[in-house]
Amino acid sequence: GDFVVLRASGTDAYNSYIYELGSINSVETLLIDSRTLANNALVEKTILSAEAVFIAGGDQANYVNFWKDTKVHHALNFVRNVKKIPVGGTSAGCAILGEAYFSALEGTVTSPEALNNPYMNLVTLGYKDFMNQPYLSNVITDSHFDNRDRHGRLVTFLARMNHDHGILARGIGLDESTAVCIESNGTGKIIGFGSAYFLTQNGMDSTPETCRDGSPLDWYRYQKAVKVYKIQATTDGSHTFDLNTWGSGTGGIHMYYYVRGGVLYKTFY
């Protein structure tokens, strides 16, 4: 089929790499760095004609500013939910795949910053207004997970999702060189060399004790605030996680994350 790479900065360096992965008809990179281009009919047609779409890394604020509520936005949701082709991404391209997302409209945020004040200006979250991905309902994604110590900020994102929207918040954290490949039946295969972390609020009653502007996050709940299943990736994807139920997986270990006074802790069970 035809493979389309989307980005708002950078080059077409993915093209040659993708050609080497297997037999495909074509690879094309679209650099869409304005709302004018995002509403271009030819750009829309190229996306609608694709058999696979991959969103490159960069700055997800550009994707939000340039693509949201444009033809690109609606074409992406059409090919994923009506045409039912694979739509994936890495780094910034991964960050916008969930129903909730960290938009980085004010820049990035570190775990200590987010934990110290969940409503500081850098914690910019979107919800239900961009990508509509099967199995990623009420889910937020984060990448470079261990390398940049993003565990604390992802827990903060989940606290905000629950506090702001009253939902059972879930998150997926990905190490570098690691992918979660979600099959049509909701089975996520963990492929690569790092780990994938599946975080879920430990029930609707497990709400943050303190989640407000100007105060450190408190999310204790008897040291069981957030359930975590950490899965080591393999090159053949033999370790999996069920995104239908968020209740079972293979090749992983169980943990709890909790926060006291803006400090993240974990326990094993």
Side-chain angles (χ1 to χ4, degrees):
D2 300 311
F3 200 115
V4 174
V5 178
L6 303 182
R7 59 195 318 153
S9 61
T11 69
D12 62 357
Y14 273 119
N15 290 17
S16 59
Y17 169 76
I18 293 169
Y19 268 120
E20 295 173 358
L21 295 178
S23 178
I24 52 179
N25 290 341
S26 69
V27 183
E28 184 172 4
T29 293
L30 301 181
L31 197 156
I32 309 166
D33 59 1
S34 69
R35 294 187 68 82
T36 298
L37 283 173
N39 279 308
N40 181 278
L42 182 58
V43 168
E44 177 189 36
K45 182 180 179 181
T46 300
I47 297 171
L48 292 175
S49 300
E51 274 77 47
V53 175
F54 187 76
I55 305 170
D59 182 352
Q60 63 260 38
N62 288 332
Y63 300 151
V64 177
N65 286 324
F66 297 150
W67 301 355
K68 194 164 80 74
D69 300 320
T70 68
K71 290 182 177 180
V72 164
H73 173 185
H74 299 302
L76 284 170
N77 281 328
F78 179 87
V79 295
R80 184 62 198 91
N81 296 292
V82 180
K83 193 175 180 180
K84 298 186 185 301
I85 70 168
V87 176
T90 185
S91 193
C94 173
I96 63 169
L97 293 181
E99 187 172 43
Y101 58 93
F102 173 53
S103 64
L105 291 176
E106 299 294 333
T108 193
V109 64
T110 65
S111 287
E113 289 171 334
L115 289 165
N116 191 56
N117 183 0
Y119 284 89
M120 73 170 302
N121 68 306
L122 297 178
V123 184
T124 52
L125 302 178
Y127 178 62
K128 268 191 172 181
D129 62 4
F130 202 0
M131 295 293 292
N132 180 14
Q133 286 266 33
Y135 304 114
L136 295 183
S137 175
N138 294 337
V139 176
I140 191 166
T141 63
D142 209 353
S143 56
H144 310 283
F145 207 55
D146 259 356
N147 309 67
R148 302 183 186 177
D149 187 22
R150 289 180 168 175
H151 299 248
R153 82 173 194 176
L154 184 57
V155 170
T156 303
F157 295 164
L158 266 59
R160 281 281 308 271
M161 289 162 61
N162 171 259
H163 190 262
D164 295 351
H165 305 290
I167 61 175
L168 185 72
R170 290 168 168 161
I172 301 174
L174 292 163
D175 288 346
E176 294 179 7
S177 301
T178 310
V180 175
C181 300
I182 306 172
E183 302 288 354
S184 59
N185 64 2
T187 298
K189 296 181 178 180
I190 320 305
I191 299 175
F193 302 96
S195 296
Y197 299 74
F198 296 86
L199 284 66
T200 185
Q201 176 185 339
N202 192 12
M204 284 301 297
D205 292 334
S206 181
T207 56
E209 286 88 349
T210 305
C211 185
R212 60 174 178 262
D213 189 16
S215 296
L217 178 66
D218 279 308
W219 199 2
Y220 187 71
R221 296 300 171 188
Y222 306 102
Q223 300 182 359
K224 297 180 179 180
V226 177
K227 294 191 294 185
V228 182
Y229 192 61
K230 175 186 177 182
I231 302 178
Q232 175 62 46
T234 63
T235 55
D236 63 357
S238 57
H239 294 167
T240 63
F241 188 80
D242 186 352
L243 282 95
N244 286 291
T245 64
W246 281 73
S248 64
T250 62
I253 59 174
H254 294 276
M255 298 182 287
Y256 290 112
Y257 284 176
Y258 62 97
V259 181
R260 297 196 79 168
V263 179
L264 178 70
Y265 299 90
K266 63 182 177 182
T267 59
F268 296 88
Y269 70 97

